[in-house]
Amino acid sequence: MLVRFLAYSGCRIGEAFALRWSSLDLERRTVTICENISSNTGKSVLRPTKTYASRTIDIPCRLAEQLRDYRSESSTGDVTPLVFPNVKRGYLQYRNWRRYWDPATEQAGIKALPHDLRAT
């Protein structure tokens, strides 16, 4: 779901890692981006966006439906405020997520970074 979100929204990876359910309006199909996770030091730090400005973006109807389903499937009574949490319900870290991304892109026969999805 994270890869789909990145491809359809054009968000930066750290913005997706920081995304909270309260920032999504699935009825209106909008997402408000106002935070970013930086984990360059191995520790996740919540910061403002790269431009220090929040923005609201439209998402396709199909993505809104998939996010709604994803939320239903992933909630087990202990709902995290994060859309894409790690297994401990905290922030994902880029270097850990790349452990999945790199083999998947290699298997697909493409050379791409998560940032490349911003241009799809």
Side-chain angles (χ1 to χ4, degrees):
M1 191 67 239
L2 175 56
V3 174
R4 285 185 195 141
F5 180 80
L6 291 170
Y8 283 108
S9 69
C11 287
R12 293 175 179 87
I13 188 78
E15 294 170 342
F17 288 172
L19 188 64
R20 298 176 185 276
W21 285 110
S22 59
S23 298
L24 275 80
D25 185 337
L26 298 177
E27 296 303 315
R28 291 188 174 129
R29 299 187 322 269
T30 61
V31 180
T32 301
I33 305 297
C34 54
E35 296 173 310
N36 182 53
I37 285 294
S38 174
S39 56
N40 294 343
T41 62
K43 186 176 182 181
S44 297
V45 179
L46 188 63
R47 299 179 182 209
T49 62
K50 182 178 177 179
T51 62
Y52 293 92
S54 65
R55 66 188 186 284
T56 300
I57 55 175
D58 296 324
I59 57 173
C61 182
R62 181 70 180 130
L63 180 61
E65 291 170 5
Q66 290 172 337
L67 284 165
R68 192 175 295 114
D69 292 344
Y70 171 73
R71 184 175 191 180
S72 296
E73 293 168 7
S74 62
S75 74
T76 58
D78 180 29
V79 179
T80 177
L82 298 174
V83 178
F84 305 110
N86 65 20
V87 295
K88 294 181 180 179
R89 302 288 203 202
Y91 296 112
L92 286 168
Q93 287 190 348
Y94 183 71
R95 65 184 165 89
N96 292 337
W97 190 71
R98 288 285 303 270
R99 291 180 190 162
Y100 300 96
W101 173 267
D102 292 345
T105 56
E106 185 177 324
Q107 185 177 1
I110 59 173
K111 292 185 183 241
L113 295 172
H115 190 79
D116 295 332
L117 293 172
R118 285 181 50 83
T120 59

